[in-house]
Amino acid sequence: MRALRVGADALLVEVASGEEARALHAELLRRRAEGALTVRELVPAARTVLLDGLRDPARLAAELAAAEVPPAPPPSGAAVEIPVRYDGPDLADVAALWGVTPTAAAGIHADTEFTVAFCGFAPGFGYLTGLPERYDVPRRATPRTAVPAGSVALAGPYTGVYPTASPGGWQLIGRTDAVLWDHARVPAALLSPGTRVRFVAVGPS
Amino acid sequence: MTDRALVVVRAGALTTVQDRGRPGHAHLGVPRSGALDGPAAALVNRLVGNPPGAAVLETTLDGCALRPRAPVTIAVGGAPCPVRVDGRPVAWAAPVRVPADALLEVGAPTRGVRGYVAVSGGIAVEPVLGSRSTDLLSGLGPPALTNGTVLPLGRPGAPHARVDVAPQPAPPAELILRVTVGPRDDWFTPAALRVLTTRAYRVSPAANRIGLRTEGPVLERAVGGELPSEGMVLGAVQVPPDGRPVVFLADHPTTGGYPVIAVVHPSDLPAAAQAAPGTPIRFVRMSDRAGR
């Protein structure tokens, strides 16, 4: 574990894996809930956790260097179910990369339990992990200028759902009507770090 | 009957509603947003008797024109500009009474970029996650103003300040950005760090609320490949593949995959909001101790 100084009042704590980042994030959330840590933003990512708005980053850096971080507790709470029509324009390409039929590729995806590793890119966009490493896929060589809202997509080790229409380079395997972000709803985000997710295949509409 | 609302007669190039933003939601992908020149927004609020966090209008490059439906007190600050009520010049950076249905014109800045217009009672659009700020990156908060938009106003609180003019820092002729190095300076050659902190940069015309884009010498990477996405802070100097540093401002993405070579001290960012395209920039290295 390495704590890097970020400007005047932030730390970027780097760990060896996504699993360790999840464990560190859980530990920091626990400390904050106990009142032992005062921090404005706690942002988990692929292999880091950013702590922004710290009073004494140097002291926390020294303390974290010596800290034992317990493994992340198993995700609690029911999994969020996201209904998907597996008919995305890149499903055949993804299936070819995996060496299976498009139907089998959809089955692999729907049989996987995912966890939101971190969020970013847009409000409500979660980077979901759960697929074994052999199913990693590259981004598209040329990003699309318009990806429709609700697109279920893959890139690298991650699955994500586009909350709104935007440009994007991920491989589109399906589409959902689930609302990823609604600021009139509490909470506004359907997915937040640590949320368990299952994709449920539904027939063509 | 009076109606506490403000009609947008001329929206200008980019006028948005801004307050102190929505910090605390970065883990959901929500930028902090908020007025780019925070001290200017707080000052105009104080001049009209609003609390410092009341929502104001932030104009960009060419001001705006507004017609209140009720008598209000307004104050215009930030970039210096002509201000008129029904065609007559009135004070800038001071409280001004505007009668109902009069036309308030906020002109193009004589220097600087962003003007701030506070109206007694504040702009009372519906808050999203505790803030009324327009976030251009993710589309949260009210959209940028268009001609004909009608904005609700809150109830006025305290009486306005009794001042003729309030001093404000002038927009910078040269933008000095003090930086602390890291967290990813080791992704660059030692020469790149020297280039950043000794050579001249300029504000690019592509600068916006998301980032202050720069023109100048390219920063050379020592490490190739992609950095896994990581959390980003306000003031981060991120270096995309073209090698030209971008300073992250209020609407910056919360995570990113390009390395951050240094971070600008937060007290230097309000000046960045007022630096017009072409303004020279100097990145000055702070000692690590001074960065705290």
PDB file of all heavy atoms in Angstrom, chain A residues 5-8 12 14 40-43 45-46 48 50 119 123-124 181 183 192, chain B residues 23-30 32 128 138 140 180 184 229-230 233 255 291-292:
ATOM      1  N   ARG A   5       0.802  11.845  -2.076  1.00  0.00           N
ATOM      2  CA  ARG A   5       0.210  13.151  -1.784  1.00  0.00           C
ATOM      3  C   ARG A   5      -0.397  13.735  -3.060  1.00  0.00           C
ATOM      4  O   ARG A   5       0.188  13.678  -4.125  1.00  0.00           O
ATOM      5  CB  ARG A   5       1.281  14.110  -1.245  1.00  0.00           C
ATOM      6  CG  ARG A   5       1.804  13.722   0.131  1.00  0.00           C
ATOM      7  CD  ARG A   5       0.754  13.888   1.216  1.00  0.00           C
ATOM      8  NE  ARG A   5       0.273  15.270   1.300  1.00  0.00           N
ATOM      9  CZ  ARG A   5       0.876  16.207   2.001  1.00  0.00           C
ATOM     10  NH1 ARG A   5       1.976  15.937   2.667  1.00  0.00           N
ATOM     11  NH2 ARG A   5       0.379  17.430   2.052  1.00  0.00           N
ATOM     12  N   VAL A   6      -1.578  14.312  -2.920  1.00  0.00           N
ATOM     13  CA  VAL A   6      -2.267  14.956  -4.039  1.00  0.00           C
ATOM     14  C   VAL A   6      -2.599  16.374  -3.596  1.00  0.00           C
ATOM     15  O   VAL A   6      -3.553  16.596  -2.848  1.00  0.00           O
ATOM     16  CB  VAL A   6      -3.554  14.200  -4.414  1.00  0.00           C
ATOM     17  CG1 VAL A   6      -4.244  14.875  -5.600  1.00  0.00           C
ATOM     18  CG2 VAL A   6      -3.260  12.744  -4.740  1.00  0.00           C
ATOM     19  N   GLY A   7      -1.768  17.337  -4.010  1.00  0.00           N
ATOM     20  CA  GLY A   7      -2.027  18.720  -3.625  1.00  0.00           C
ATOM     21  C   GLY A   7      -1.961  18.907  -2.125  1.00  0.00           C
ATOM     22  O   GLY A   7      -1.275  18.169  -1.404  1.00  0.00           O
ATOM     23  N   ALA A   8      -2.711  19.904  -1.656  1.00  0.00           N
ATOM     24  CA  ALA A   8      -2.584  20.332  -0.264  1.00  0.00           C
ATOM     25  C   ALA A   8      -3.302  19.424   0.718  1.00  0.00           C
ATOM     26  O   ALA A   8      -2.843  19.236   1.844  1.00  0.00           O
ATOM     27  CB  ALA A   8      -3.114  21.759  -0.123  1.00  0.00           C
ATOM     28  N   LEU A  12      -3.824   9.866  -2.443  1.00  0.00           N
ATOM     29  CA  LEU A  12      -4.234   8.785  -3.338  1.00  0.00           C
ATOM     30  C   LEU A  12      -3.542   7.535  -2.820  1.00  0.00           C
ATOM     31  O   LEU A  12      -2.321   7.450  -2.824  1.00  0.00           O
ATOM     32  CB  LEU A  12      -3.788   9.105  -4.772  1.00  0.00           C
ATOM     33  CG  LEU A  12      -4.233   8.132  -5.851  1.00  0.00           C
ATOM     34  CD1 LEU A  12      -5.746   8.254  -6.080  1.00  0.00           C
ATOM     35  CD2 LEU A  12      -3.498   8.397  -7.158  1.00  0.00           C
ATOM     36  N   GLU A  14      -2.667   3.770  -3.131  1.00  0.00           N
ATOM     37  CA  GLU A  14      -2.564   2.804  -4.212  1.00  0.00           C
ATOM     38  C   GLU A  14      -2.364   1.412  -3.629  1.00  0.00           C
ATOM     39  O   GLU A  14      -1.537   1.232  -2.731  1.00  0.00           O
ATOM     40  CB  GLU A  14      -1.355   3.192  -5.058  1.00  0.00           C
ATOM     41  CG  GLU A  14      -1.249   2.484  -6.361  1.00  0.00           C
ATOM     42  CD  GLU A  14      -0.048   2.991  -7.143  1.00  0.00           C
ATOM     43  OE1 GLU A  14       1.028   3.176  -6.534  1.00  0.00           O
ATOM     44  OE2 GLU A  14      -0.189   3.219  -8.344  1.00  0.00           O
ATOM     45  N   ARG A  40     -13.818  14.770   2.936  1.00  0.00           N
ATOM     46  CA  ARG A  40     -14.936  15.291   2.140  1.00  0.00           C
ATOM     47  C   ARG A  40     -15.353  14.303   1.054  1.00  0.00           C
ATOM     48  O   ARG A  40     -16.524  14.085   0.805  1.00  0.00           O
ATOM     49  CB  ARG A  40     -14.523  16.623   1.508  1.00  0.00           C
ATOM     50  CG  ARG A  40     -15.636  17.343   0.771  1.00  0.00           C
ATOM     51  CD  ARG A  40     -15.209  18.722   0.304  1.00  0.00           C
ATOM     52  NE  ARG A  40     -14.046  18.650  -0.562  1.00  0.00           N
ATOM     53  CZ  ARG A  40     -12.888  19.265  -0.327  1.00  0.00           C
ATOM     54  NH1 ARG A  40     -12.749  20.025   0.728  1.00  0.00           N
ATOM     55  NH2 ARG A  40     -11.868  19.126  -1.152  1.00  0.00           N
ATOM     56  N   GLU A  41     -14.359  13.725   0.373  1.00  0.00           N
ATOM     57  CA  GLU A  41     -14.644  12.780  -0.704  1.00  0.00           C
ATOM     58  C   GLU A  41     -13.833  11.518  -0.482  1.00  0.00           C
ATOM     59  O   GLU A  41     -12.653  11.583  -0.131  1.00  0.00           O
ATOM     60  CB  GLU A  41     -14.232  13.357  -2.079  1.00  0.00           C
ATOM     61  CG  GLU A  41     -14.833  14.701  -2.435  1.00  0.00           C
ATOM     62  CD  GLU A  41     -16.226  14.609  -3.039  1.00  0.00           C
ATOM     63  OE1 GLU A  41     -16.826  13.504  -3.044  1.00  0.00           O
ATOM     64  OE2 GLU A  41     -16.723  15.652  -3.496  1.00  0.00           O
ATOM     65  N   LEU A  42     -14.472  10.377  -0.728  1.00  0.00           N
ATOM     66  CA  LEU A  42     -13.814   9.078  -0.618  1.00  0.00           C
ATOM     67  C   LEU A  42     -14.139   8.367  -1.929  1.00  0.00           C
ATOM     68  O   LEU A  42     -15.263   7.935  -2.127  1.00  0.00           O
ATOM     69  CB  LEU A  42     -14.420   8.344   0.588  1.00  0.00           C
ATOM     70  CG  LEU A  42     -13.628   7.325   1.365  1.00  0.00           C
ATOM     71  CD1 LEU A  42     -12.228   7.791   1.676  1.00  0.00           C
ATOM     72  CD2 LEU A  42     -14.368   6.970   2.641  1.00  0.00           C
ATOM     73  N   VAL A  43     -13.161   8.311  -2.830  1.00  0.00           N
ATOM     74  CA  VAL A  43     -13.455   7.860  -4.198  1.00  0.00           C
ATOM     75  C   VAL A  43     -12.661   6.592  -4.524  1.00  0.00           C
ATOM     76  O   VAL A  43     -11.464   6.659  -4.830  1.00  0.00           O
ATOM     77  CB  VAL A  43     -13.099   8.965  -5.230  1.00  0.00           C
ATOM     78  CG1 VAL A  43     -13.610   8.573  -6.616  1.00  0.00           C
ATOM     79  CG2 VAL A  43     -13.679  10.307  -4.808  1.00  0.00           C
ATOM     80  N   ALA A  45     -11.446   3.537  -6.869  1.00  0.00           N
ATOM     81  CA  ALA A  45     -11.275   3.380  -8.319  1.00  0.00           C
ATOM     82  C   ALA A  45     -10.650   2.018  -8.579  1.00  0.00           C
ATOM     83  O   ALA A  45     -10.748   1.123  -7.737  1.00  0.00           O
ATOM     84  CB  ALA A  45     -10.446   4.520  -8.878  1.00  0.00           C
ATOM     85  N   ALA A  46     -10.020   1.844  -9.740  1.00  0.00           N
ATOM     86  CA  ALA A  46      -9.570   0.512 -10.151  1.00  0.00           C
ATOM     87  C   ALA A  46      -8.584  -0.080  -9.140  1.00  0.00           C
ATOM     88  O   ALA A  46      -8.730  -1.223  -8.715  1.00  0.00           O
ATOM     89  CB  ALA A  46      -8.941   0.587 -11.535  1.00  0.00           C
ATOM     90  N   THR A  48      -7.029   2.161  -6.589  1.00  0.00           N
ATOM     91  CA  THR A  48      -6.721   3.249  -5.662  1.00  0.00           C
ATOM     92  C   THR A  48      -7.983   3.642  -4.895  1.00  0.00           C
ATOM     93  O   THR A  48      -9.103   3.320  -5.307  1.00  0.00           O
ATOM     94  CB  THR A  48      -6.249   4.507  -6.419  1.00  0.00           C
ATOM     95  OG1 THR A  48      -7.248   4.842  -7.386  1.00  0.00           O
ATOM     96  CG2 THR A  48      -4.908   4.312  -7.108  1.00  0.00           C
ATOM     97  N   LEU A  50      -9.100   7.511  -3.411  1.00  0.00           N
ATOM     98  CA  LEU A  50      -8.734   8.909  -3.224  1.00  0.00           C
ATOM     99  C   LEU A  50      -9.436   9.436  -1.987  1.00  0.00           C
ATOM    100  O   LEU A  50     -10.642   9.218  -1.817  1.00  0.00           O
ATOM    101  CB  LEU A  50      -9.158   9.729  -4.444  1.00  0.00           C
ATOM    102  CG  LEU A  50      -8.975  11.251  -4.319  1.00  0.00           C
ATOM    103  CD1 LEU A  50      -7.516  11.638  -4.461  1.00  0.00           C
ATOM    104  CD2 LEU A  50      -9.808  11.989  -5.358  1.00  0.00           C
ATOM    105  N   CYS A 119     -17.438   4.172  -9.393  1.00  0.00           N
ATOM    106  CA  CYS A 119     -18.295   4.920 -10.306  1.00  0.00           C
ATOM    107  C   CYS A 119     -17.469   6.027 -10.954  1.00  0.00           C
ATOM    108  O   CYS A 119     -16.361   6.314 -10.539  1.00  0.00           O
ATOM    109  CB  CYS A 119     -19.484   5.525  -9.562  1.00  0.00           C
ATOM    110  SG  CYS A 119     -20.586   4.271  -8.876  1.00  0.00           S
ATOM    111  N   PRO A 123     -22.728  10.625 -13.737  1.00  0.00           N
ATOM    112  CA  PRO A 123     -23.462  10.231 -12.536  1.00  0.00           C
ATOM    113  C   PRO A 123     -24.266   8.958 -12.813  1.00  0.00           C
ATOM    114  O   PRO A 123     -24.981   8.877 -13.805  1.00  0.00           O
ATOM    115  CB  PRO A 123     -24.388  11.419 -12.275  1.00  0.00           C
ATOM    116  CG  PRO A 123     -23.682  12.578 -12.902  1.00  0.00           C
ATOM    117  CD  PRO A 123     -23.017  12.011 -14.126  1.00  0.00           C
ATOM    118  N   GLY A 124     -24.114   7.982 -11.955  1.00  0.00           N
ATOM    119  CA  GLY A 124     -24.857   6.747 -12.111  1.00  0.00           C
ATOM    120  C   GLY A 124     -24.136   5.683 -12.903  1.00  0.00           C
ATOM    121  O   GLY A 124     -24.620   4.562 -13.020  1.00  0.00           O
ATOM    122  N   TRP A 181     -29.925   6.685 -13.100  1.00  0.00           N
ATOM    123  CA  TRP A 181     -29.774   7.913 -12.319  1.00  0.00           C
ATOM    124  C   TRP A 181     -31.070   8.691 -12.407  1.00  0.00           C
ATOM    125  O   TRP A 181     -31.604   8.904 -13.498  1.00  0.00           O
ATOM    126  CB  TRP A 181     -28.629   8.775 -12.876  1.00  0.00           C
ATOM    127  CG  TRP A 181     -28.481  10.063 -12.128  1.00  0.00           C
ATOM    128  CD1 TRP A 181     -29.085  11.256 -12.410  1.00  0.00           C
ATOM    129  CD2 TRP A 181     -27.708  10.289 -10.960  1.00  0.00           C
ATOM    130  NE1 TRP A 181     -28.725  12.204 -11.477  1.00  0.00           N
ATOM    131  CE2 TRP A 181     -27.869  11.638 -10.584  1.00  0.00           C
ATOM    132  CE3 TRP A 181     -26.873   9.459 -10.188  1.00  0.00           C
ATOM    133  CZ2 TRP A 181     -27.233  12.180  -9.468  1.00  0.00           C
ATOM    134  CZ3 TRP A 181     -26.239  10.013  -9.091  1.00  0.00           C
ATOM    135  CH2 TRP A 181     -26.420  11.354  -8.740  1.00  0.00           C
ATOM    136  N   HIS A 183     -32.425  12.083 -10.228  1.00  0.00           N
ATOM    137  CA  HIS A 183     -32.116  12.904  -9.048  1.00  0.00           C
ATOM    138  C   HIS A 183     -33.347  13.193  -8.203  1.00  0.00           C
ATOM    139  O   HIS A 183     -33.228  13.694  -7.097  1.00  0.00           O
ATOM    140  CB  HIS A 183     -31.357  14.169  -9.431  1.00  0.00           C
ATOM    141  CG  HIS A 183     -32.098  15.082 -10.344  1.00  0.00           C
ATOM    142  ND1 HIS A 183     -31.756  15.233 -11.668  1.00  0.00           N
ATOM    143  CD2 HIS A 183     -33.161  15.860 -10.139  1.00  0.00           C
ATOM    144  CE1 HIS A 183     -32.585  16.095 -12.221  1.00  0.00           C
ATOM    145  NE2 HIS A 183     -33.449  16.486 -11.313  1.00  0.00           N
ATOM    146  N   SER A 192     -24.065   2.087  -6.582  1.00  0.00           N
ATOM    147  CA  SER A 192     -22.986   2.826  -5.931  1.00  0.00           C
ATOM    148  C   SER A 192     -21.915   1.806  -5.555  1.00  0.00           C
ATOM    149  O   SER A 192     -22.172   0.591  -5.572  1.00  0.00           O
ATOM    150  CB  SER A 192     -23.516   3.595  -4.718  1.00  0.00           C
ATOM    151  OG  SER A 192     -24.111   2.716  -3.816  1.00  0.00           O
TER     152      SER A 192
ATOM    153  N   PRO B  23     -20.189  19.173  -3.401  1.00  0.00           N
ATOM    154  CA  PRO B  23     -19.124  18.259  -2.979  1.00  0.00           C
ATOM    155  C   PRO B  23     -19.705  17.080  -2.206  1.00  0.00           C
ATOM    156  O   PRO B  23     -20.832  17.156  -1.711  1.00  0.00           O
ATOM    157  CB  PRO B  23     -18.242  19.135  -2.083  1.00  0.00           C
ATOM    158  CG  PRO B  23     -19.139  20.223  -1.598  1.00  0.00           C
ATOM    159  CD  PRO B  23     -20.138  20.452  -2.696  1.00  0.00           C
ATOM    160  N   GLY B  24     -18.945  15.992  -2.139  1.00  0.00           N
ATOM    161  CA  GLY B  24     -19.358  14.846  -1.333  1.00  0.00           C
ATOM    162  C   GLY B  24     -20.003  13.723  -2.126  1.00  0.00           C
ATOM    163  O   GLY B  24     -20.394  12.714  -1.564  1.00  0.00           O
ATOM    164  N   HIS B  25     -20.120  13.889  -3.455  1.00  0.00           N
ATOM    165  CA  HIS B  25     -20.763  12.864  -4.274  1.00  0.00           C
ATOM    166  C   HIS B  25     -19.842  12.316  -5.361  1.00  0.00           C
ATOM    167  O   HIS B  25     -20.292  11.681  -6.297  1.00  0.00           O
ATOM    168  CB  HIS B  25     -22.035  13.420  -4.914  1.00  0.00           C
ATOM    169  CG  HIS B  25     -23.009  13.976  -3.923  1.00  0.00           C
ATOM    170  ND1 HIS B  25     -23.818  13.176  -3.157  1.00  0.00           N
ATOM    171  CD2 HIS B  25     -23.281  15.236  -3.540  1.00  0.00           C
ATOM    172  CE1 HIS B  25     -24.561  13.928  -2.355  1.00  0.00           C
ATOM    173  NE2 HIS B  25     -24.250  15.193  -2.564  1.00  0.00           N
ATOM    174  N   ALA B  26     -18.533  12.588  -5.240  1.00  0.00           N
ATOM    175  CA  ALA B  26     -17.596  12.173  -6.291  1.00  0.00           C
ATOM    176  C   ALA B  26     -17.614  10.655  -6.487  1.00  0.00           C
ATOM    177  O   ALA B  26     -17.421  10.169  -7.601  1.00  0.00           O
ATOM    178  CB  ALA B  26     -16.182  12.647  -5.951  1.00  0.00           C
ATOM    179  N   HIS B  27     -17.880   9.909  -5.408  1.00  0.00           N
ATOM    180  CA  HIS B  27     -17.876   8.443  -5.523  1.00  0.00           C
ATOM    181  C   HIS B  27     -19.039   7.938  -6.366  1.00  0.00           C
ATOM    182  O   HIS B  27     -19.074   6.778  -6.743  1.00  0.00           O
ATOM    183  CB  HIS B  27     -17.910   7.803  -4.130  1.00  0.00           C
ATOM    184  CG  HIS B  27     -19.153   8.133  -3.361  1.00  0.00           C
ATOM    185  ND1 HIS B  27     -19.380   9.396  -2.849  1.00  0.00           N
ATOM    186  CD2 HIS B  27     -20.231   7.387  -3.041  1.00  0.00           C
ATOM    187  CE1 HIS B  27     -20.556   9.404  -2.239  1.00  0.00           C
ATOM    188  NE2 HIS B  27     -21.086   8.199  -2.343  1.00  0.00           N
ATOM    189  N   LEU B  28     -20.006   8.802  -6.657  1.00  0.00           N
ATOM    190  CA  LEU B  28     -21.106   8.429  -7.549  1.00  0.00           C
ATOM    191  C   LEU B  28     -20.887   8.983  -8.957  1.00  0.00           C
ATOM    192  O   LEU B  28     -21.758   8.903  -9.818  1.00  0.00           O
ATOM    193  CB  LEU B  28     -22.446   8.947  -7.002  1.00  0.00           C
ATOM    194  CG  LEU B  28     -22.848   8.415  -5.630  1.00  0.00           C
ATOM    195  CD1 LEU B  28     -24.134   9.082  -5.155  1.00  0.00           C
ATOM    196  CD2 LEU B  28     -23.015   6.893  -5.666  1.00  0.00           C
ATOM    197  N   GLY B  29     -19.730   9.603  -9.178  1.00  0.00           N
ATOM    198  CA  GLY B  29     -19.452  10.175 -10.491  1.00  0.00           C
ATOM    199  C   GLY B  29     -19.999  11.586 -10.655  1.00  0.00           C
ATOM    200  O   GLY B  29     -20.111  12.077 -11.771  1.00  0.00           O
ATOM    201  N   VAL B  30     -20.345  12.245  -9.547  1.00  0.00           N
ATOM    202  CA  VAL B  30     -20.931  13.584  -9.600  1.00  0.00           C
ATOM    203  C   VAL B  30     -19.853  14.635  -9.334  1.00  0.00           C
ATOM    204  O   VAL B  30     -19.270  14.660  -8.247  1.00  0.00           O
ATOM    205  CB  VAL B  30     -22.061  13.730  -8.557  1.00  0.00           C
ATOM    206  CG1 VAL B  30     -22.594  15.148  -8.520  1.00  0.00           C
ATOM    207  CG2 VAL B  30     -23.176  12.741  -8.856  1.00  0.00           C
ATOM    208  N   ARG B  32     -18.047  18.257  -8.444  1.00  0.00           N
ATOM    209  CA  ARG B  32     -18.445  19.195  -7.398  1.00  0.00           C
ATOM    210  C   ARG B  32     -19.169  20.407  -7.982  1.00  0.00           C
ATOM    211  O   ARG B  32     -20.054  20.962  -7.379  1.00  0.00           O
ATOM    212  CB  ARG B  32     -17.242  19.606  -6.573  1.00  0.00           C
ATOM    213  CG  ARG B  32     -16.485  20.798  -7.127  1.00  0.00           C
ATOM    214  CD  ARG B  32     -15.534  21.376  -6.122  1.00  0.00           C
ATOM    215  NE  ARG B  32     -14.541  20.388  -5.711  1.00  0.00           N
ATOM    216  CZ  ARG B  32     -13.754  20.565  -4.652  1.00  0.00           C
ATOM    217  NH1 ARG B  32     -13.876  21.637  -3.904  1.00  0.00           N
ATOM    218  NH2 ARG B  32     -12.862  19.668  -4.336  1.00  0.00           N
ATOM    219  N   VAL B 128     -30.452  20.164  -6.782  1.00  0.00           N
ATOM    220  CA  VAL B 128     -30.194  18.747  -7.062  1.00  0.00           C
ATOM    221  C   VAL B 128     -29.025  18.339  -6.179  1.00  0.00           C
ATOM    222  O   VAL B 128     -27.962  18.960  -6.245  1.00  0.00           O
ATOM    223  CB  VAL B 128     -29.833  18.536  -8.549  1.00  0.00           C
ATOM    224  CG1 VAL B 128     -29.416  17.092  -8.796  1.00  0.00           C
ATOM    225  CG2 VAL B 128     -30.992  18.929  -9.451  1.00  0.00           C
ATOM    226  N   SER B 138     -21.914  16.678 -16.508  1.00  0.00           N
ATOM    227  CA  SER B 138     -22.869  15.571 -16.384  1.00  0.00           C
ATOM    228  C   SER B 138     -24.315  16.018 -16.551  1.00  0.00           C
ATOM    229  O   SER B 138     -25.215  15.200 -16.511  1.00  0.00           O
ATOM    230  CB  SER B 138     -22.685  14.874 -15.041  1.00  0.00           C
ATOM    231  OG  SER B 138     -22.807  15.795 -14.003  1.00  0.00           O
ATOM    232  N   LEU B 140     -26.228  17.829 -14.582  1.00  0.00           N
ATOM    233  CA  LEU B 140     -27.059  18.007 -13.385  1.00  0.00           C
ATOM    234  C   LEU B 140     -27.353  19.490 -13.185  1.00  0.00           C
ATOM    235  O   LEU B 140     -26.604  20.355 -13.631  1.00  0.00           O
ATOM    236  CB  LEU B 140     -26.345  17.468 -12.151  1.00  0.00           C
ATOM    237  CG  LEU B 140     -26.031  15.981 -12.121  1.00  0.00           C
ATOM    238  CD1 LEU B 140     -25.521  15.586 -10.742  1.00  0.00           C
ATOM    239  CD2 LEU B 140     -27.243  15.154 -12.486  1.00  0.00           C
ATOM    240  N   THR B 180       1.836  21.713  -6.365  1.00  0.00           N
ATOM    241  CA  THR B 180       2.613  20.683  -5.688  1.00  0.00           C
ATOM    242  C   THR B 180       2.720  19.524  -6.667  1.00  0.00           C
ATOM    243  O   THR B 180       1.760  19.193  -7.365  1.00  0.00           O
ATOM    244  CB  THR B 180       1.940  20.202  -4.390  1.00  0.00           C
ATOM    245  OG1 THR B 180       0.548  20.055  -4.635  1.00  0.00           O
ATOM    246  CG2 THR B 180       2.118  21.195  -3.270  1.00  0.00           C
ATOM    247  N   ARG B 184       1.408  11.610  -9.953  1.00  0.00           N
ATOM    248  CA  ARG B 184       1.948  10.730 -10.989  1.00  0.00           C
ATOM    249  C   ARG B 184       3.103  11.371 -11.735  1.00  0.00           C
ATOM    250  O   ARG B 184       3.278  11.136 -12.921  1.00  0.00           O
ATOM    251  CB  ARG B 184       0.832  10.337 -11.963  1.00  0.00           C
ATOM    252  CG  ARG B 184      -0.297   9.528 -11.349  1.00  0.00           C
ATOM    253  CD  ARG B 184       0.165   8.172 -10.862  1.00  0.00           C
ATOM    254  NE  ARG B 184      -0.921   7.442 -10.202  1.00  0.00           N
ATOM    255  CZ  ARG B 184      -0.712   6.326  -9.508  1.00  0.00           C
ATOM    256  NH1 ARG B 184       0.496   5.825  -9.375  1.00  0.00           N
ATOM    257  NH2 ARG B 184      -1.730   5.720  -8.929  1.00  0.00           N
ATOM    258  N   SER B 229      -8.053   3.840 -14.135  1.00  0.00           N
ATOM    259  CA  SER B 229      -8.818   5.008 -13.675  1.00  0.00           C
ATOM    260  C   SER B 229      -8.590   5.260 -12.195  1.00  0.00           C
ATOM    261  O   SER B 229      -8.595   4.318 -11.400  1.00  0.00           O
ATOM    262  CB  SER B 229     -10.319   4.753 -13.881  1.00  0.00           C
ATOM    263  OG  SER B 229     -10.681   5.204 -15.151  1.00  0.00           O
ATOM    264  N   GLU B 230      -8.422   6.531 -11.829  1.00  0.00           N
ATOM    265  CA  GLU B 230      -8.290   6.876 -10.416  1.00  0.00           C
ATOM    266  C   GLU B 230      -8.979   8.198 -10.134  1.00  0.00           C
ATOM    267  O   GLU B 230      -9.277   8.967 -11.041  1.00  0.00           O
ATOM    268  CB  GLU B 230      -6.813   6.896  -9.999  1.00  0.00           C
ATOM    269  CG  GLU B 230      -5.958   7.878 -10.766  1.00  0.00           C
ATOM    270  CD  GLU B 230      -4.462   7.677 -10.489  1.00  0.00           C
ATOM    271  OE1 GLU B 230      -4.040   6.546 -10.178  1.00  0.00           O
ATOM    272  OE2 GLU B 230      -3.723   8.667 -10.583  1.00  0.00           O
ATOM    273  N   VAL B 233      -8.843  15.296  -8.344  1.00  0.00           N
ATOM    274  CA  VAL B 233      -9.205  16.427  -7.476  1.00  0.00           C
ATOM    275  C   VAL B 233      -9.302  17.716  -8.283  1.00  0.00           C
ATOM    276  O   VAL B 233      -8.754  17.819  -9.381  1.00  0.00           O
ATOM    277  CB  VAL B 233      -8.184  16.627  -6.328  1.00  0.00           C
ATOM    278  CG1 VAL B 233      -8.092  15.385  -5.452  1.00  0.00           C
ATOM    279  CG2 VAL B 233      -6.816  17.012  -6.872  1.00  0.00           C
ATOM    280  N   THR B 255     -13.273  10.726 -11.937  1.00  0.00           N
ATOM    281  CA  THR B 255     -12.191   9.752 -12.095  1.00  0.00           C
ATOM    282  C   THR B 255     -11.615   9.931 -13.495  1.00  0.00           C
ATOM    283  O   THR B 255     -12.290  10.467 -14.378  1.00  0.00           O
ATOM    284  CB  THR B 255     -12.673   8.292 -11.939  1.00  0.00           C
ATOM    285  OG1 THR B 255     -13.671   8.006 -12.917  1.00  0.00           O
ATOM    286  CG2 THR B 255     -13.232   8.026 -10.559  1.00  0.00           C
ATOM    287  N   GLY B 291       2.852  23.336   0.627  1.00  0.00           N
ATOM    288  CA  GLY B 291       1.617  22.843   0.028  1.00  0.00           C
ATOM    289  C   GLY B 291       0.569  22.462   1.049  1.00  0.00           C
ATOM    290  O   GLY B 291      -0.563  22.222   0.693  1.00  0.00           O
ATOM    291  N   ARG B 292       0.994  22.354   2.296  1.00  0.00           N
ATOM    292  CA  ARG B 292       0.030  21.882   3.302  1.00  0.00           C
ATOM    293  C   ARG B 292      -0.864  22.971   3.829  1.00  0.00           C
ATOM    294  O   ARG B 292      -0.517  24.129   3.761  1.00  0.00           O
ATOM    295  CB  ARG B 292       0.793  21.265   4.473  1.00  0.00           C
ATOM    296  CG  ARG B 292       1.300  19.919   4.031  1.00  0.00           C
ATOM    297  CD  ARG B 292       2.131  19.261   5.098  1.00  0.00           C
ATOM    298  NE  ARG B 292       2.948  18.263   4.433  1.00  0.00           N
ATOM    299  CZ  ARG B 292       3.999  17.700   4.990  1.00  0.00           C
ATOM    300  NH1 ARG B 292       4.375  18.024   6.196  1.00  0.00           N
ATOM    301  NH2 ARG B 292       4.685  16.806   4.335  1.00  0.00           N
TER     302      ARG B 292
END
